[in-house]
Amino acid sequence: LVFFLLTFFNYTLNAKSLNIALFLPFNSSTYSKMAESIHSGINDSLNKLDLNSSVEKFHESDSFNDNLVTFKKINSKKFDLIIGPLKNSSILGLKKEIVNIKQKILILNSDSILRNQFQNNKNVYIYGFNLEEEVLSIVDEIKLEPDLVYVVHNNSKISQKILSKFIPKIENYFNLKSKVLEFSEIKSELKLFKEKLNDQLGQDDDTVIIFFSFLNSQESRNFRPYLGSKIHFYSTFLINNDRYDKLQKYDLQNAIFFEMPIVFLGDEKLDIMYNIQNIPLNNILRRFYALGYDSVLIFKSIENKSTNSIKSISGTINYYNNFFSRKGILVKINDGNLKKLPQ
């Protein structure tokens, strides 16, 4: 999950130069590649817009005191644009400093908890992966009338946040009680689970069963083949982190989810459409790159006081009540490839 904020000072798009500070975990063994991918996305987006700019990098630490010193240092230099920090803990730790800043701030995050921390602040704008809302919106795309609805999860923090809103929505939408399964409790008995599922399907050829999966890529690969071809399988882009493993995609046949255009589109088309030259190789880093790239477009939108949708490499971005929501392209895995579905 990604959380980072953009702070806008007295800058307009007509200015001669845009001075940017990147406050990201560049020296972290866990986050450094993500930070550099964001950096690459920002650079390519600035080049695409032909903006004259300078970029200075600052390291985001695990220490609150270090981050506070760095944040104050950045503010004292009065950059036109500050991008960072990246991590949830850093943002919450610097909440007081963020709230009290007089300039406009855009927090990039995928966590509704963070959004609640900065509500009703006219200078704070919010944007991020938006995974929770994207998952909720996939329900609205389903035209089936299921007889059974299963939800399988791995009890991760991400899945728990999603489930708290997702379960009530699907049960209300389908007027059915869902069956919630924790993967750790069934993974040792998948063959038995498959037999029970086949019995349910065998009782009536017209039985419609929907699975919503909140598993990671490897768990989904192990689980999906046991469900057979008659199951309708919906998930998140977290199952599509490996870009080049065709066998994995065959294991995930017919899985439906929202994916970012930067993952769906080929490299040549991305370069032609968006002037992307430093595109990362794997899907995880591509998504961080996309957030960096589109953060510049959001900055442009804020400066122009535009409320129009932004269509770019992270998806379609809409503005509502200081929140920039993002939704990707609805895709289906078919014979090892991603196929775009009617939107």
Side-chain angles (χ1 to χ4, degrees):
L1 294 179
V2 68
F3 314 93
F4 68 94
L5 62 88
L6 286 75
T7 306
F8 304 111
F9 293 87
N10 302 320
Y11 171 77
T12 67
L13 292 179
N14 296 321
K16 291 183 179 180
S17 179
L18 170 63
N19 298 313
I20 301 173
L22 300 188
F23 183 24
L24 303 171
F26 290 106
N27 300 334
S28 166
S29 59
T30 303
Y31 295 99
S32 60
K33 290 183 179 179
M34 300 172 189
E36 290 296 349
S37 295
I38 293 167
H39 185 193
S40 295
I42 290 167
N43 284 339
D44 279 353
S45 191
L46 290 169
N47 290 334
K48 174 71 173 180
L49 293 173
D50 196 26
L51 290 177
N52 182 24
S53 60
S54 63
V55 178
E56 186 174 349
K57 294 162 61 174
F58 296 84
H59 173 58
E60 174 193 351
S61 169
D62 291 328
S63 163
F64 164 73
N65 290 333
D66 290 347
N67 285 337
L68 184 61
V69 170
T70 303
F71 197 72
K72 288 181 177 180
K73 180 179 179 181
I74 294 170
N75 283 336
S76 70
K77 292 190 174 185
K78 296 184 178 180
F79 286 93
D80 301 305
L81 171 62
I82 300 172
I83 300 178
L86 177 65
K87 293 176 289 186
N88 186 358
S89 58
S90 300
I91 295 172
L92 290 175
L94 294 170
K95 176 185 173 181
K96 181 178 178 180
E97 285 67 33
I98 295 170
V99 169
N100 291 327
I101 286 180
K102 302 300 181 183
Q103 293 78 17
K104 293 184 179 68
I105 303 172
L106 173 61
I107 300 176
L108 289 186
N109 76 87
S110 58
D111 194 330
S112 58
I113 295 176
L114 282 179
R115 295 206 303 268
N116 294 335
Q117 297 293 321
F118 300 101
Q119 282 184 344
N120 303 319
N121 188 316
K122 64 181 181 179
N123 291 324
V124 177
Y125 296 86
I126 301 168
Y127 172 65
F129 278 149
N130 198 36
L131 187 60
E132 295 168 59
E133 280 71 22
E134 191 176 58
V135 168
L136 289 173
S137 67
I138 203 170
V139 178
D140 300 322
E141 305 290 335
I142 301 174
K143 309 307 178 186
L144 301 169
E145 295 184 7
D147 299 288
L148 291 168
V149 175
Y150 286 91
V151 178
V152 59
H153 67 96
N154 57 10
N155 206 31
S156 65
K157 290 183 179 179
I158 296 175
S159 65
Q160 288 301 316
K161 288 175 183 177
I162 293 173
L163 289 176
S164 64
K165 295 180 179 179
F166 187 77
I167 298 298
K169 172 157 187 174
I170 61 170
E171 293 186 346
N172 180 64
Y173 187 84
F174 295 120
N175 195 27
L176 282 175
K177 184 71 175 177
S178 61
K179 297 185 177 182
V180 182
L181 308 172
E182 187 174 339
F183 186 62
S184 63
E185 296 177 356
I186 63 170
K187 65 180 181 180
S188 62
E189 299 180 347
L190 287 178
K191 289 184 179 180
L192 179 61
F193 181 78
K194 180 181 179 180
E195 291 175 2
K196 292 181 179 179
L197 198 60
N198 287 337
D199 288 341
Q200 291 173 321
L201 290 168
Q203 292 173 8
D204 187 344
D205 290 339
D206 296 326
T207 298
V208 176
I209 300 179
I210 291 178
F211 268 83
F212 293 100
S213 170
F214 302 114
L215 304 178
N216 61 36
S217 182
Q218 187 59 49
E219 291 166 339
S220 296
R221 182 178 187 177
N222 293 337
F223 180 60
R224 175 65 186 94
Y226 282 92
L227 303 181
S229 60
K230 293 183 179 181
I231 295 298
H232 301 273
F233 190 83
Y234 296 85
S235 190
T236 73
F237 63 52
L238 296 177
I239 70 170
N240 189 42
N241 287 340
D242 195 312
R243 187 169 186 80
Y244 302 102
D245 189 345
K246 284 282 186 180
L247 291 177
Q248 180 198 42
K249 287 185 171 56
Y250 278 106
D251 288 336
L252 296 170
Q253 175 73 1
N254 293 333
I256 296 174
F257 53 96
F258 283 108
E259 184 56 276
M260 288 189 179
I262 192 173
V263 174
F264 177 75
L265 298 174
D267 292 359
E268 184 177 352
K269 192 169 186 179
L270 284 168
D271 191 19
I272 293 172
M273 294 173 64
Y274 302 105
N275 189 38
I276 291 178
Q277 300 172 5
N278 301 301
I279 187 168
L281 292 177
N282 73 56
N283 288 347
I284 297 174
L285 296 183
R286 281 176 183 241
R287 297 185 189 115
F288 283 95
Y289 173 102
L291 287 184
Y293 189 101
D294 287 352
S295 67
V296 177
L297 303 185
I298 289 176
F299 170 65
K300 179 182 176 183
S301 176
I302 292 173
E303 288 296 302
N304 290 336
K305 295 180 170 58
S306 172
T307 57
N308 295 331
S309 296
I310 302 170
K311 293 185 181 295
S312 189
I313 59 174
S314 72
T316 300
I317 303 167
N318 289 293
Y319 175 75
Y320 175 73
N321 193 27
N322 284 31
F323 174 51
F324 287 89
S325 66
R326 184 203 64 81
K327 187 164 74 172
I329 299 171
L330 193 64
V331 299
K332 182 178 184 178
I333 297 179
N334 184 45
D335 295 332
N337 297 300
L338 295 184
K339 177 184 177 182
K340 184 179 179 181
L341 295 176
Q343 307 297 301

